[in-house]
Amino acid sequence: MNTILIIDEDQQIQMLYAEELFDEGYDVLTCSNPSGLMKLIDQKRPDLVIMEVLFKNYDGLELLKKISHTYKELPVILCTAYPAFKQDLRSLAAFSIIVKSSNFRTLDSVRKDLGDKFPINVIISVG
């Protein structure tokens, strides 16, 4: 079974997407504090990370950089309410960038892009 890690400071968003993914048969991990993210990834070895870009005390794009350097094969999908992050060159390390929404159809194109590497059977968006 594939494991998806959702990182967002908004616990309601975490619950919303975790329930949806769990219902589709995925193991779901959630994390609200970016300070423990690297340790969590190392311990749990998720197949996909879906994370917010904007955190209170962390630069999400710097966190993306750490993840992509340490876990080169781990796809990371950035989700944000601020589409301007797409213009930041550091965001190129992400597999995809999605504008935050409660519309579960947002990941449809991402699912096609991931293909066999990570078969996402559910269409989601994380905030």
Side-chain angles (χ1 to χ4, degrees):
M1 183 179 295
N2 290 315
T3 301
I4 298 173
L5 171 59
I6 301 168
I7 178 161
D8 196 302
E9 291 176 325
D10 184 336
Q11 292 184 347
Q12 290 179 332
I13 293 290
Q14 285 182 22
M15 286 177 30
L16 176 68
Y17 299 117
E19 286 178 19
E20 191 70 27
L21 289 165
F22 182 78
D23 288 348
E24 291 294 327
Y26 292 98
D27 285 333
V28 180
L29 304 169
T30 60
C31 178
S32 18
N33 185 351
S35 67
L37 181 63
M38 297 301 286
K39 184 176 180 179
L40 182 61
I41 291 172
D42 193 50
Q43 291 174 344
K44 301 295 184 179
R45 299 291 183 181
D47 300 295
L48 175 69
V49 173
I50 301 173
M51 74 176 220
E52 170 62 85
V53 177
L54 193 59
F55 295 99
K56 291 176 189 167
N57 299 315
Y58 287 87
D59 181 340
L61 293 176
E62 283 301 314
L63 192 54
L64 170 65
K65 182 178 173 182
K66 281 184 182 178
I67 294 169
S68 64
H69 279 94
T70 307
Y71 308 99
K72 295 180 185 344
E73 299 299 317
L74 178 61
V76 177
I77 297 173
L78 295 178
C79 297
T80 181
Y82 306 98
F85 280 106
K86 289 182 177 184
Q87 307 304 319
D88 191 312
L89 292 178
R90 297 176 297 167
S91 69
L92 293 175
F95 179 81
S96 185
I97 302 172
I98 300 169
V99 176
K100 190 183 285 192
S101 167
S102 61
N103 178 350
F104 289 114
R105 301 219 179 271
T106 308
L107 277 185
D108 199 20
S109 62
V110 175
R111 179 178 59 174
K112 292 174 190 171
D113 291 341
L114 281 171
D116 294 332
K117 182 173 182 177
F118 190 81
I120 297 178
N121 297 321
V122 64
I123 304 168
I124 62 162
S125 171
V126 175

